[in-house]
């Protein structure tokens, strides 16, 4: 798909923004974009999330198929790598925690470069720490943005949320203060997009479903930044709307809210509804991955498939016993040759009774 997929995704996001702006500024559909769609998006998000996780949880995993890259536990005098090759559930939990919180496997990711040195092709493997850093910054920035948005839905604002917002804006640049998480989120998403377009190998395998979430998240971040720093919106009215949605007493504030806010809200709704049916569901799938969450103790414990049940089988020996003669006639080799028949015994004809010769 490549560039065509990127252009199609960009056009789709722009089209969504135009729909929201026209629906609010032109048609005045405040109730649709401010109440109905947010409720529908949240219901779709949680319903789809629960469905996908339960569907994955029902998948049988009878054997240990862990991905390992370290020494397995064996003899006492051989040092085992407890994190890379966990032999118990506790160490598997440690590996999962490092994977989820620090993207440990991505940190060791390498990149293949194919270059020409003169006329000689050279293949080189190099570290790709920029990808790890961008992915880590993207996910943590997204988490921080979600957490400090909680202040719109709760009154009074929790102290933890206020602390997160204070730490996020510790640079105190401008008025209102610059929040680092928003800038990092857009920059990291931009780098991930640039990487997919810049490298031919990634561009070749990239689909529309890879570009659309990136453009959608970048649009959400940019509209949020515009509302905070350039086009000021009525925060009080926005919180009134958010509190009404939270308490299930939705109201459209009397004071008009900027149409840019409804564009921002509509993009968030699209992201929520799209999330369970996209590749973004790795958020839940990583916890259920048997290649990560299982201990590798295949040599220490015999694993028997718990789904096995008694099955009536027909062995080859029984099959050959039933069809041996036909197989031999057809020239098919058999494992057991038929026993030769016993030769028939010759029988003498019964002796004729002697007849007396008549006397002369």
């Amino acid at each position: 798909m490549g560039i065509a997929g990127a252009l199609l995704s960009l056009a789709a996001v722009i089209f969504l923004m135009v729909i929201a702006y026209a629906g609010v500024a032109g048609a005045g559909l405040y109730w649709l974009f401010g109440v109905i769609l947010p409720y529908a998006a949240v219901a779709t998000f949680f319903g789809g999330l629960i469905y996908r996780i339960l569907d994955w949880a029902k998948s049988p995993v009878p054997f240990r198929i862990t991905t390992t890259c370290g020494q397995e536990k064996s003899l006492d005098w051989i040092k085992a790598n407890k994190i890379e090759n966990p032999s118990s559930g506790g160490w598997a939990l440690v590996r999962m925690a490092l994977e989820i919180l620090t993207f440990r496997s991505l940190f060791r990711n390498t990149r293949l470069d194919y270059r020409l040195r003169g006329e000689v092709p050279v293949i080189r493997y190099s570290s790709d720490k920029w990808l790890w850093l961008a992915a880590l910054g993207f996910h943590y920035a997204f988490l921080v943005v979600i957490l400090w948005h909680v202040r719109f839905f709760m009154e009074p604002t929790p102290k933890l949320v206020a602390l997160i917002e204070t730490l996020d804006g510790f640079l105190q640049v401008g008025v209102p203060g610059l929040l680092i998480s928003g800038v990092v989120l857009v920059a990291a998403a931009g780098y991930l997009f640039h990487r997919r377009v810049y490298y031919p190998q990634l561009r070749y395998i990239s689909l529309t479903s890879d570009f659309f979430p990136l453009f959608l998240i970048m649009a959400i971040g940019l509209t949020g930044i515009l509302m905070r720093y350039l086009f000021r919106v009525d925060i009080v009215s926005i919180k009134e709307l958010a509190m009404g949605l939270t308490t299930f007493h939705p109201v459209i504030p009397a004071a008009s809210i900027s149409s840019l806010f409804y564009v921002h809200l509509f993009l968030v709704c699209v992201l929520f509804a799209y999330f369970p049916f996209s590749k973004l569901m790795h958020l839940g799938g990583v916890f259920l991955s048997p290649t990560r969450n299982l201990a590798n103790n295949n040599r220490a414990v015999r694993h028997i498939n718990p789904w096995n049940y008694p099955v009536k089988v027909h062995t080859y020996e029984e099959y050959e016993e039933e069809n041996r003669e036909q197989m031999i006639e057809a020239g098919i080799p058999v494992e057991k040759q038929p026993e030769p028949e016993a030769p028939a015994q010759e029988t003498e004809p019964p002796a004729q009774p002697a007849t007396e010769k008549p006397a002369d």
Side-chain angles (χ1 to χ4, degrees):
M1 207 64 183
I3 299 298
L7 295 176
L8 181 62
S9 300
L10 179 60
V13 173
I14 294 175
F15 180 68
L16 292 174
M17 297 174 69
V18 171
I19 288 177
Y21 185 82
V24 174
L29 301 175
Y30 297 100
W31 190 264
L32 174 64
F33 288 92
V35 177
I36 298 177
L37 290 180
Y39 277 138
V42 172
T44 304
F45 173 78
F46 285 106
L49 194 70
I50 294 172
Y51 170 77
R52 293 292 299 275
I53 291 178
L54 291 180
D55 185 55
W56 286 335
K58 290 187 299 183
S59 301
V61 185
F63 303 113
R64 305 287 169 140
I65 54 174
T66 52
T67 300
T68 60
C69 56
Q71 174 61 45
E72 183 180 358
K73 180 181 179 181
S74 56
L75 301 176
D76 294 336
W77 52 273
I78 299 178
K79 185 178 180 180
N81 193 325
K82 297 181 179 180
I83 295 179
E84 297 295 352
N85 203 329
S87 58
S88 64
W91 284 110
L93 182 62
V94 171
R95 185 174 76 154
M96 279 290 294
L98 291 174
E99 185 70 27
I100 294 169
L101 299 176
T102 66
F103 301 175
R104 192 165 183 266
S105 61
L106 188 59
F107 183 79
R108 298 192 301 271
N109 183 51
T110 56
R111 183 178 68 247
L112 184 147
D113 293 327
Y114 180 84
R115 300 181 179 180
L116 291 176
R117 184 176 296 171
E119 298 181 355
V120 180
V122 177
I123 297 178
R124 183 184 66 177
Y125 291 92
S126 58
S127 177
D128 197 6
K129 295 297 186 291
W130 284 109
L131 174 60
W132 169 79
L133 185 62
L136 197 67
F138 174 82
H139 287 83
Y140 273 102
F142 210 137
L143 176 63
V144 171
V145 168
I146 293 174
L147 289 177
W148 65 255
H149 270 76
V150 173
R151 65 192 178 100
F152 292 108
F153 300 91
M154 301 182 70
E155 183 61 38
T157 302
K159 294 183 179 179
L160 178 60
V161 175
L163 176 62
I164 291 174
E165 187 174 4
T166 301
L167 295 176
D168 195 16
F170 78 98
L171 291 178
Q172 297 182 357
V173 176
V175 179
L178 176 68
L179 296 179
I180 302 174
S181 58
V183 177
V184 172
L185 177 64
V186 175
Y191 173 79
L192 296 176
F193 164 73
H194 161 76
R195 181 175 175 272
R196 284 195 171 274
V197 174
Y198 180 76
Y199 294 107
Q201 301 92 332
L202 288 177
R203 185 171 63 247
Y204 180 77
I205 64 174
S206 295
L207 305 174
T208 305
S209 58
D210 297 310
F211 291 110
F212 180 72
L214 291 176
F215 282 120
L216 187 61
I217 292 171
M218 282 191 286
I220 292 173
L222 289 174
T223 52
I225 291 173
L226 290 175
M227 284 190 296
R228 181 175 177 84
Y229 303 109
L230 296 179
F231 305 101
R232 305 299 297 274
V233 295
D234 188 352
I235 297 296
V236 176
S237 298
I238 291 175
K239 184 157 187 174
E240 182 182 355
L241 173 62
M243 290 295 296
L245 295 173
T246 305
T247 58
F248 296 99
H249 294 88
V251 293
I252 298 297
S256 61
I257 305 176
S258 171
S259 299
L260 183 60
F261 166 76
Y262 286 101
V263 173
H264 179 78
L265 179 61
F266 180 62
L267 293 177
V268 173
C269 292
V270 172
L271 179 63
F272 267 65
Y274 176 74
F275 193 99
F277 312 102
S278 68
K279 296 180 180 181
L280 301 175
M281 263 304 293
H282 65 265
L283 170 67
V286 66
F287 294 95
L288 300 176
S289 174
T291 61
R292 291 289 172 185
N293 60 18
L294 294 176
N296 184 29
N297 56 359
N298 291 306
R299 293 183 177 180
V301 179
R302 182 186 179 189
H303 300 280
I304 301 176
N305 190 345
W307 290 274
N308 282 345
Y309 55 91
V311 178
K312 184 179 180 180
V313 297
H314 190 240
T315 63
Y316 176 77
E317 288 79 6
E318 295 173 344
Y319 171 81
E320 184 178 302
E321 189 69 29
E322 297 172 359
N323 304 280
R324 183 175 292 111
E325 294 182 1
Q326 292 87 341
M327 295 171 66
I328 293 175
E329 291 177 0
I332 300 175
V334 295
E335 294 185 356
K336 183 180 179 181
Q337 296 294 331
E339 296 180 359
E341 297 181 358
Q345 296 180 355
E346 296 183 0
T347 58
E348 296 181 358
Q352 297 293 332
T355 59
E356 296 182 357
K357 186 177 180 181
D360 292 337

